[in-house]
C-alpha cells in the first residue's frame, strides 16, 4: 500500500506541476522608456527649387527611445509649426520603424506657405519630433529644431499654340488654349485663380482680368482678335500679347505664373458697313449703315431698307470705296434690284455672300399705339402719330412709368412689335431693331419720352423730349478730334433714320463732345463712360478718349446713345 | 494516516500554485488628464464663402495610462465632446466625435460648421461652445477628461436647398380630398391648412400628426395649388424608403409608409432629408 500511495502522490504531484505550467503564463511587462529622446535636422536653412520638389530637402534624424514595444512598433511624428507659436497649429509627417525621415521640397514648401511664407522670402519655422508607440502612447518630445524655409512658386502657364492668325470666318472656333499647373506647390488649402492679359511691354501695369475655372482656358478667334486690336496690334501684322495667371491662396498670399507671350495676327476689324446706290435712300451719295445683330458673329451684317426697283446697290466699308462688295463678293459689280420694296439686306463680309429678302409692311388701319404696364396697363392703347413725311414712322411724346411696354396695331395684339431680345432684356432699350412679337421693352425710369418707330424696318427708340427734332448737322468736337475745340468733324446722317449719325474719325487720347448745328447750346458728353454710353447735358461732361486711334463713331441724337469702336 | 498526509500535502501544493495565478492580475494604477489645445480661442465667425478654408485645429495629449505591469500599450479611445457653455457637457444634443489613438483633428470651415450645427443652436449669432477630450481605454473604462476650452463661434445656415417660406404635402397619401378627386392638388386650388407644415426652425418643417393613407404617393410643395415648384425623391419615382429619404427640387413622387395611421413628418433642408415617425 505504501508503494501504491507513493506512486499516486508522485503522479498527482506531476499532474499538478504540469497543470501549473499551463495556468501560470508569464505576465507581459511594459517597462517605460528611460532613454532620453533627441532629434536633429540635416540643415537649418532650406530653399528648394520647383524642379527638385519631390526630392528630400531636409533629413531629420533621431535616436531609438527603446520603447518596450520595440522600434518596429514605434512611431515618429515630425511636427512643423511657425517659430515661436509653440505648435498650436502644425503640419506633421509620420514615420515608423526608422531612425530618420525626409521632408521633400514640396512638403516643406506647403508647410512654409501654411505658416505665413511668401514666395521667394524665408520664413522661420520650428520642428519637433514626437516619439511614441505606434498608437501614440508613451509620447516623448525632442527639443525644438529651428529651420528657415524659402517658399518657391513653380507656377507655370503654357499657351497652345503660341502663334495664331485669327480668322473672321471661324469666330467661335478655339484659337489658343492656356493651361497652368497648381500654384503654391504643396499647399493644401483653397487657391483661386484668374488669368490676366496685357499689352506687350507694359509689365501688366493695368491687366485685363479673365475669370477661370479648372486649369485651362480657351480663347476663340473672335476673343483673340478683339484682345489684339485692343492692344493696338495692327491688322494683318503679328503682335505680341502677354498672358499670366494670378493665384491667391486662402491666407491671402499671391503668386504669379510665368508669363506666356502669344503672337496674334488679327484680321481687319470691319466696324462700319453701308449699303449705297441709286436704289437706296441715300442714292450714290450717302450710305445706309448696316448693323451686326449678333456680336458673336462679327462678319454678319444686316439692315432693313427700302430699295427702288430697276436700280442698283453696292456694299462698302467705312463709307469709302476702298473695300466694296457686289455681285460675286468682294470687289464685284453693282447688284441690280428688280422690284421696289422693303428688304432685309444681309452681307457676310468674310465670305462676301449677301442676300435680299423682301418684306411686307403690315397694314394698320387703326393706327399704332404703345401699351403695357409702363403706360397705363396692358391692353390700354396710347396712340402715336403717323409721320407726315414717312407713312411707316409713328412718333409721340408719351408719359411712361416704371414698367414694360410694346408697340401694337391699336386694339389688336395680332400685330405688335417688341425688342429683339427676351422680355425686359436691357438690350431692348432705349433703342433697338425691333421685331414682330418681340420681347417686352422695360422702362426703368418714369418720365416723359419721345417714342419713335418705323414699322417697315422695326427700328424704334425712346428718346429725350428735348431732342425730338432731328438736326441738320451733327459733329464731334474737342482736342481729341482733328478740328480741335474750334471746328466740328461732322458725322453722316443716316438716310433712313435722321436721328442716327456715324463716321470714321481719327482721335487722340484727349477729350471730345457731340455738337449739333455747330451750336454749343446743343452739345452732349459724358465724363465717366467710354467707349459706349449715353451722353448728358451736365457741366464738365467731356468724353475722355481712352487711347488714340481711328474710331467708328455712332450717335443717336434723340436717345444720346454713343459708341466708339476702333 | 501517513497516506492522508501525502494527499493533504498535494492539495496544499495545488492551492499554493492556484494562489500564484491570482497574484499576476494586472491592475490600473493612474492616468494623466489629457491636455486639449486649440489653434485659436479667439471669437470665430464661420463664413459660407470660405467653407473650404482651414479652420480650427484641435490637439490633445495622450493620458499615459499606467498599469501594474508598466506603461499602457492598449489603444486609447478619445471623444472630442462639444456642448453649449454652461451645460457641463450634459445637454441632450451634445456632440461627441470619436477617435482611436489620434491626438489631433483639423476642421475646415464647413466641417466645423456642420459639426456645431448638431447642437441646433441659432445660426448667425455668436454662441459659446465648450470643448473637451474624454479619453478611455477601448472598453470605455477608466475615463479621464481634459481641460475645457471655451470658444465663441458664429455658425452659418448651410442648407442643401433654399428654404421655402411655406411647405405643404399633397398627393393620395395625404388625407384631404382634392377638387379632381385623385388626391393631387390642382393649379389654383385653395391651400389645405391641415396639410401645411410648421417651420420649427430656420431649416426644419414639421407636421406633428397627419393621418396618412398607407402605400400611396405624395409630393411636397412650397405653394399649395401651384405646381411651379415641388420637392420630390432624388431617385426613381416611388422607390424611396417609405419611412424617410432624401429629397430635391423637381424630384419624383415619394411613396408614403405602408400602414395607414397618423404620422409625425419632418422635412430638414439642412440635410435634404425627410422622415415619417
Amino acid at each position: 500500500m505504501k508503494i501504491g500511495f507513493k506512486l499516486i502522490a508522485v503522479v498527482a504531484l506531476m499532474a499538478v506541476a504540469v497543470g501549473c505550467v499551463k495556468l501560470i503564463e508569464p505576465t507581459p511587462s511594459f517597462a517605460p522608456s528611460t532613454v532620453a529622446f533627441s532629434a536633429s535636422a540635416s540643415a537649418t536653412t532650406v530653399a528648394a527649387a520647383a524642379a527638385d520638389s519631390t526630392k528630400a530637402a531636409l533629413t531629420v534624424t533621431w535616436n531609438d527611445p527603446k520603447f518596450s514595444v520595440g522600434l518596429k512598433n514605434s512611431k515618429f511624428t515630425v511636427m512643423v509649426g511657425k517659430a515661436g507659436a509653440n505648435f498650436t497649429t502644425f503640419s506633421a509627417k509620420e514615420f515608423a520603424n526608422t531612425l530618420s525621415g525626409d521632408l521633400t521640397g514640396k512638403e516643406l514648401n506647403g508647410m512654409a506657405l501654411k505658416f505665413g511664407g511668401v514666395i521667394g522670402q524665408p520664413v522661420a519655422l520650428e520642428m519637433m519630433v514626437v516619439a511614441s508607440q505606434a498608437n501614440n502612447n508613451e509620447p516623448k518630445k525632442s527639443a525644438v529644431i529651428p529651420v528657415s524655409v524659402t517658399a518657391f512658386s513653380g507656377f507655370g502657364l503654357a499657351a497652345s499654340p503660341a502663334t495664331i492668325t485669327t480668322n473672321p470666318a471661324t469666330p467661335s472656333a478655339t484659337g489658343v488654349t492656356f493651361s497652368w499647373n497648381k500654384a503654391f506647390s504643396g499647399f493644401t488649402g483653397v487657391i483661386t485663380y484668374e488669368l490676366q492679359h496685357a499689352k506687350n511691354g507694359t509689365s501688366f501695369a493695368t491687366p485685363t482680368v479673365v475669370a477661370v475655372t479648372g486649369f485651362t482656358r480657351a480663347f476663340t478667334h473672335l476673343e483673340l482678335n478683339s484682345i489684339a486690336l485692343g492692344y493696338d496690334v495692327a491688322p494683318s501684322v503679328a503682335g505680341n500679347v502677354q498672358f499670366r495667371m494670378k493665384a491667391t491662396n486662402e491666407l491671402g498670399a499671391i503668386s504669379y505664373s510665368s508669363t506666356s507671350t502669344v503672337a496674334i495676327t488679327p484680321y481687319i476689324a470691319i466696324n462700319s458697313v453701308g449699303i449705297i446706290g441709286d436704289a437706296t435712300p441715300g442714292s450714290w451719295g450717302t450710305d445706309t449703315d448696316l448693323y451686326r445683330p449678333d456680336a458673336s458673329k462679327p462678319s454678319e451684317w444686316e439692315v432693313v431698307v427700302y430699295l427702288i426697283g430697276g436700280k442698283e446697290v453696292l456694299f462698302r466699308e467705312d463709307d469709302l470705296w476702298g473695300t466694296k462688295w457686289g455681285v460675286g463678293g468682294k470687289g464685284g459689280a453693282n447688284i441690280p434690284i428688280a422690284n421696289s420694296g422693303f428688304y432685309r439686306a444681309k452681307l457676310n463680309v468674310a465670305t462676301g455672300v449677301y442676300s435680299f429678302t423682301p418684306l411686307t409692311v403690315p397694314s394698320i388701319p387703326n393706327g399704332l399705339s404703345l401699351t403695357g404696364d409702363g403706360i397705363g396697363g396692358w391692353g390700354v392703347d396710347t396712340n402715336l402719330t403717323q409721320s407726315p413725311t414717312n407713312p411707316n414712322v409713328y412718333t409721340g411724346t408719351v408719359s411712361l412709368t416704371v414698367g414694360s411696354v410694346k408697340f401694337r396695331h391699336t386694339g389688336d395684339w395680332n400685330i405688335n412689335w417688341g425688342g429683339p431680345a427676351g422680355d425686359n432684356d436691357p438690350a431692348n432699350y432705349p433703342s433697338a431693331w425691333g421685331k414682330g412679337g418681340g420681347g417686352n421693352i422695360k422702362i426703368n425710369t418714369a418720365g416723359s419720352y419721345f417714342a419713335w418707330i418705323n414699322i417697315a424696318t422695326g427700328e424704334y427708340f425712346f428718346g429725350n423730349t428735348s431732342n425730338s427734332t432731328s438736326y441738320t448737322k451733327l459733329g464731334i468736337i474737342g482736342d481729341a478730334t482733328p478740328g480741335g475745340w474750334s471746328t466740328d468733324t461732322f458725322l453722316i446722317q443716316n438716310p433712313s433714320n435722321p436721328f442716327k449719325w456715324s463716321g470714321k474719325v481719327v482721335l487722340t487720347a484727349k477729350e471730345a463732345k457731340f455738337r449739333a448745328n455747330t451750336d454749343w447750346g446743343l452739345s452732349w458728353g459724358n465724363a465717366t463712360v467710354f467707349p459706349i454710353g449715353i451722353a448728358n447735358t451736365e457741366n464738365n461732361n467731356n468724353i475722355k478718349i481712352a487711347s488714340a486711334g481711328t474710331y467708328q463713331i455712332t450717335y443717336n441724337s434723340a436717345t444720346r446713345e454713343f459708341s466708339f469702336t476702333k | 494516516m501517513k497516506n492522508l498526509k501525502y494527499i493533504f500535502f498535494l492539495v496544499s501544493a495545488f492551492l499554493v500554485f492556484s494562489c500564484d495565478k491570482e497574484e499576476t492580475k494586472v491592475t490600473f494604477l493612474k492616468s494623466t488628464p489629457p491636455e486639449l489645445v486649440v489653434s485659436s480661442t479667439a471669437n470665430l465667425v464661420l463664413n459660407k464663402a470660405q467653407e473650404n478654408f482651414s479652420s480650427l485645429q484641435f490637439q490633445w495629449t495622450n493620458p499615459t495610462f499606467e498599469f501594474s505591469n508598466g506603461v499602457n500599450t492598449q489603444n486609447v479611445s478619445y471623444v472630442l465632446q462639444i456642448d453649449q457653455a454652461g451645460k457641463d457637457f450634459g445637454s441632450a444634443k451634445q456632440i461627441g466625435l470619436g477617435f482611436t489613438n489620434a491626438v489631433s483633428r483639423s476642421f475646415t470651415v464647413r466641417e466645423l460648421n456642420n459639426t456645431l450645427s448638431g447642437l441646433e443652436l441659432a445660426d448667425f449669432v455668436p454662441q459659446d461652445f465648450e470643448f473637451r477630450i474624454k479619453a478611455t481605454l477601448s472598453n470605455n473604462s477608466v475615463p479621464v477628461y481634459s481641460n475645457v476650452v471655451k470658444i465663441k463661434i458664429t455658425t452659418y445656415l448651410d442648407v442643401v436647398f433654399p428654404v421655402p417660406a411655406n411647405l405643404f404635402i399633397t398627393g393620395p397619401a395625404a388625407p384631404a380630398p382634392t377638387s379632381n378627386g385623385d388626391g393631387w392638388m390642382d393649379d389654383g386650388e385653395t391651400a389645405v391648412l391641415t396639410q401645411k407644415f410648421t417651420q420649427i426652425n430656420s431649416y426644419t418643417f414639421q407636421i406633428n400628426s397627419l393621418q396618412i393613407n398607407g402605400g400611396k404617393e405624395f409630393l411636397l410643395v412650397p405653394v399649395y395649388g401651384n405646381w411651379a415648384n415641388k420637392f420630390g425623391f432624388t431617385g426613381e419615382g416611388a422607390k424611396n424608403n417609405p419611412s424617410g429619404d432624401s429629397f430635391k427640387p423637381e424630384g419624383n413622387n415619394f411613396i408614403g409608409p405602408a400602414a395607414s395611421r397618423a404620422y409625425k413628418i419632418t422635412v430638414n433642408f439642412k440635410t435634404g432629408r425627410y422622415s415619417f415617425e
Side-chain angles (χ1 to χ4, degrees):
Chain A
M1 286 298 281
K2 265 187 181 175
I3 294 167
F5 275 114
K6 278 180 185 171
L7 280 172
I8 291 167
V10 169
V11 170
L13 193 59
M14 285 175 68
V16 169
V18 171
C20 286
V21 168
K22 281 184 178 171
L23 285 170
I24 305 170
E25 293 175 5
T27 305
S29 177
F30 302 101
S33 161
T34 57
V35 176
F37 181 67
S38 63
S40 60
S42 59
T44 55
T45 303
V46 177
D52 300 325
S53 66
T54 57
K55 296 177 182 170
L58 191 72
T59 300
V60 187
T61 309
W62 50 83
N63 65 303
D64 184 358
K66 304 285 186 189
F67 291 127
S68 54
V69 294
L71 183 62
K72 192 177 178 184
N73 292 307
S74 297
K75 183 165 91 178
F76 303 91
T77 305
V78 178
M79 298 172 67
V80 180
K82 189 171 188 173
N86 203 24
F87 299 98
T88 47
T89 54
F90 63 91
S91 291
K93 186 175 183 184
E94 296 179 349
F95 301 91
N97 190 25
T98 180
L99 295 179
S100 69
D102 294 334
L103 295 176
T104 66
K106 186 176 179 179
E107 288 167 342
L108 266 179
N109 204 58
M111 293 172 184
L113 292 165
K114 177 177 177 178
F115 300 121
V118 175
I119 303 290
Q121 295 180 26
V123 59
L125 305 179
E126 54 192 22
M127 296 193 301
M128 176 172 71
V129 182
V130 179
S132 66
Q133 298 174 22
N135 57 10
N136 293 332
N137 285 337
E138 213 182 346
K140 300 185 83 164
K141 295 178 179 177
S142 75
V144 171
I145 307 165
V147 60
S148 170
V149 178
T150 301
F152 62 84
S153 171
F155 186 23
L157 174 68
S160 177
T163 301
I164 184 166
T165 299
T166 53
N167 184 351
T170 57
S172 302
T174 295
V176 173
T177 300
F178 292 90
S179 57
W180 54 94
N181 63 321
K182 184 177 177 291
F184 301 107
S185 177
F187 184 77
T188 55
V190 174
I191 303 169
T192 53
Y193 299 88
E194 66 180 40
L195 193 152
Q196 301 181 337
H197 56 75
K199 187 173 182 175
N200 194 38
T202 60
S203 303
F204 293 93
T206 54
T208 299
V209 174
V210 180
V212 295
T213 55
F215 289 89
T216 61
R217 171 67 156 87
F219 285 84
T220 64
H221 281 248
L222 175 61
E223 287 175 313
L224 293 165
N225 202 68
S226 299
I227 289 169
L229 294 171
Y231 294 136
D232 297 328
V233 175
S236 303
V237 176
N240 288 340
V241 177
Q242 293 190 309
F243 296 78
R244 72 174 179 183
M245 295 297 301
K246 177 184 178 184
T248 308
N249 73 19
E250 67 179 65
L251 302 174
I254 291 170
S255 176
Y256 292 100
S257 74
S258 53
T259 296
S260 188
T261 301
V262 179
I264 303 173
T265 305
Y267 52 80
I268 299 169
I270 296 176
N271 46 35
S272 170
V273 173
I275 184 168
I276 194 167
D278 54 7
T280 73
S283 192
W284 287 109
T286 308
D287 298 70
T288 296
D289 287 347
L290 278 66
Y291 67 99
R292 280 178 285 210
D294 185 344
S296 69
K297 295 174 179 170
S299 301
E300 297 182 10
W301 296 77
E302 70 177 61
V303 71
V304 175
V305 62
Y306 184 82
L307 300 176
I308 302 166
K311 309 269 183 175
E312 295 174 328
V313 299
L314 278 172
F315 296 98
R316 66 176 186 168
E317 181 191 356
D318 286 348
D319 304 326
L320 297 169
W321 289 115
T323 304
K324 65 176 184 177
W325 293 266
V327 175
K330 190 177 280 188
N334 296 353
I335 303 164
I337 302 298
N339 302 309
S340 296
F342 280 93
Y343 291 85
R344 185 177 299 280
K346 290 187 176 185
L347 173 70
N348 186 319
V349 295
T351 62
V353 173
Y354 58 80
S355 65
F356 293 87
T357 307
L359 300 176
T360 304
V361 180
S363 170
I364 50 169
N366 300 340
L368 191 87
S369 296
L370 270 171
T371 185
D373 55 13
I375 187 162
W378 290 106
V380 178
D381 290 304
T382 299
N383 290 317
L384 300 182
T385 305
Q386 191 172 28
S387 165
T389 56
N390 185 339
N392 295 317
V393 170
Y394 290 77
T395 66
T397 299
V398 292
S399 181
L400 303 179
T401 57
V402 174
S404 303
V405 298
K406 288 185 82 169
F407 297 92
R408 73 167 182 172
H409 177 213
T410 303
D412 176 16
W413 274 119
N414 290 322
I415 302 174
N416 71 83
W417 290 264
D423 282 347
N424 302 323
D425 192 295
N428 294 345
Y429 179 88
S431 70
W433 290 87
K435 63 179 184 181
N440 294 348
I441 303 157
K442 181 73 187 295
I443 309 297
N444 291 313
T445 306
S448 189
Y449 290 83
F450 171 59
W452 187 100
I453 184 169
N454 183 327
I455 64 165
T457 64
E459 192 175 16
Y460 68 82
F461 63 75
F462 293 86
N464 297 282
T465 53
S466 58
N467 304 120
S468 61
T469 305
S470 59
Y471 303 106
T472 53
K473 286 190 289 186
L474 190 136
I476 185 164
I477 188 167
D479 54 6
T481 72
W485 283 112
S486 58
T487 308
D488 297 77
T489 300
F490 291 112
L491 303 181
I492 301 166
Q493 191 170 31
N494 189 309
S496 298
N497 182 340
F499 296 90
K500 291 173 79 173
W501 301 79
S502 66
K504 207 90 174 179
V505 183
V506 176
L507 299 176
T508 58
K510 294 184 177 176
E511 299 183 347
K513 290 183 76 171
F514 292 99
R515 187 166 80 148
N517 298 348
T518 61
D519 177 0
W520 279 116
L522 298 170
S523 69
W524 307 276
N526 188 321
T528 58
V529 181
F530 182 85
I532 295 170
I534 293 178
N536 55 53
T537 55
E538 297 166 5
N539 291 327
N540 302 319
N541 63 351
N542 293 348
I543 297 167
K544 295 176 175 56
I545 311 301
S547 62
T550 303
Y551 287 89
Q552 172 69 18
I553 302 170
T554 66
Y555 189 71
N556 183 318
S557 67
T559 64
R560 300 179 191 156
E561 294 166 282
F562 64 80
S563 72
F564 293 78
T565 312
K566 265 192 186 178
Chain B
M1 286 301 282
K2 266 186 181 175
N3 294 336
L4 281 175
K5 278 181 189 169
Y6 285 120
I7 291 166
F8 282 135
F9 171 75
L10 288 170
V11 170
S12 303
F14 180 79
L15 287 174
V16 166
F17 281 114
S18 302
C19 287
D20 276 355
K21 189 192 172 198
E22 288 296 315
E23 284 174 355
T24 61
K25 183 177 181 182
V26 175
T27 54
F28 169 74
L29 296 180
K30 66 173 185 177
S31 63
T32 306
E35 184 190 357
L36 174 65
V37 174
V38 186
S39 54
S40 170
T41 55
N43 292 353
L44 179 62
V45 177
L46 300 176
N47 182 349
K48 169 86 173 163
Q50 300 178 332
E51 62 180 1
N52 293 317
F53 283 27
S54 298
S55 187
L56 298 179
Q57 185 180 32
F58 292 74
Q59 57 179 306
W60 51 90
T61 56
N62 180 284
T64 58
F65 291 111
E66 285 183 41
F67 298 95
S68 53
N69 67 334
V71 296
N72 176 39
T73 59
Q74 298 178 48
N75 289 345
V76 179
S77 296
Y78 301 95
V79 177
L80 176 60
Q81 296 181 317
I82 309 171
D83 206 349
Q84 200 175 4
K87 302 286 186 182
D88 200 21
F89 296 94
S91 70
K93 291 175 179 170
Q94 70 161 297
I95 298 153
L97 296 182
F99 305 91
T100 301
N101 295 332
V103 288
S104 71
R105 168 75 155 95
S106 293
F107 290 85
T108 63
V109 168
R110 183 177 54 215
E111 289 169 340
L112 186 61
N113 192 70
N114 289 350
T115 300
L116 298 178
S117 72
L119 283 169
E120 297 185 10
L121 302 177
D123 294 307
F124 305 111
V125 178
Q127 304 279 2
D128 289 307
F129 292 94
E130 289 185 338
F131 301 84
R132 73 174 178 186
I133 284 287
K134 175 188 179 184
T136 60
L137 290 173
S138 53
N139 54 2
N140 208 23
S141 60
V142 291
V144 57
Y145 297 91
S146 76
N147 54 307
V148 174
V149 175
K150 293 183 184 181
I151 310 176
K152 194 185 284 287
I153 302 174
T154 304
T155 58
Y156 60 85
L157 178 62
D158 197 7
V159 290
V160 182
F161 308 114
V163 181
N166 295 300
L167 195 68
F168 296 86
I169 181 171
T170 183
T178 53
S179 54
N180 58 12
D182 65 2
W184 296 104
M185 68 177 190
D186 272 352
D187 277 325
E189 196 162 337
T190 309
V192 179
L193 294 180
T194 52
Q195 291 179 193
K196 182 180 180 183
F197 286 79
T198 301
Q199 188 168 3
I200 60 170
N201 59 33
S202 55
Y203 54 88
T204 310
F205 290 87
Q206 215 164 55
I207 293 181
N208 251 330
S209 178
L210 184 69
Q211 185 65 35
I212 291 294
N213 301 318
K216 304 284 177 126
E217 297 185 358
F218 71 95
L219 282 166
L220 305 170
V221 291
V223 181
Y224 201 90
N226 183 341
W227 282 111
N229 294 292
K230 65 180 180 182
F231 297 98
F233 180 45
T234 51
E236 196 180 335
K239 293 287 173 70
N240 56 293
N241 178 347
S243 61
D245 216 317
S246 56
F247 66 85
K248 67 172 184 180
E250 299 307 305
N252 292 309
N253 290 358
F254 298 109
I255 187 84
S260 295
R261 67 170 175 84
Y263 290 86
K264 176 182 180 180
I265 313 171
T266 306
V267 182
N268 187 327
F269 280 81
K270 217 166 187 173
T271 59
R273 299 184 69 84
Y274 74 93
S275 66
F276 279 79
E277 298 171 60

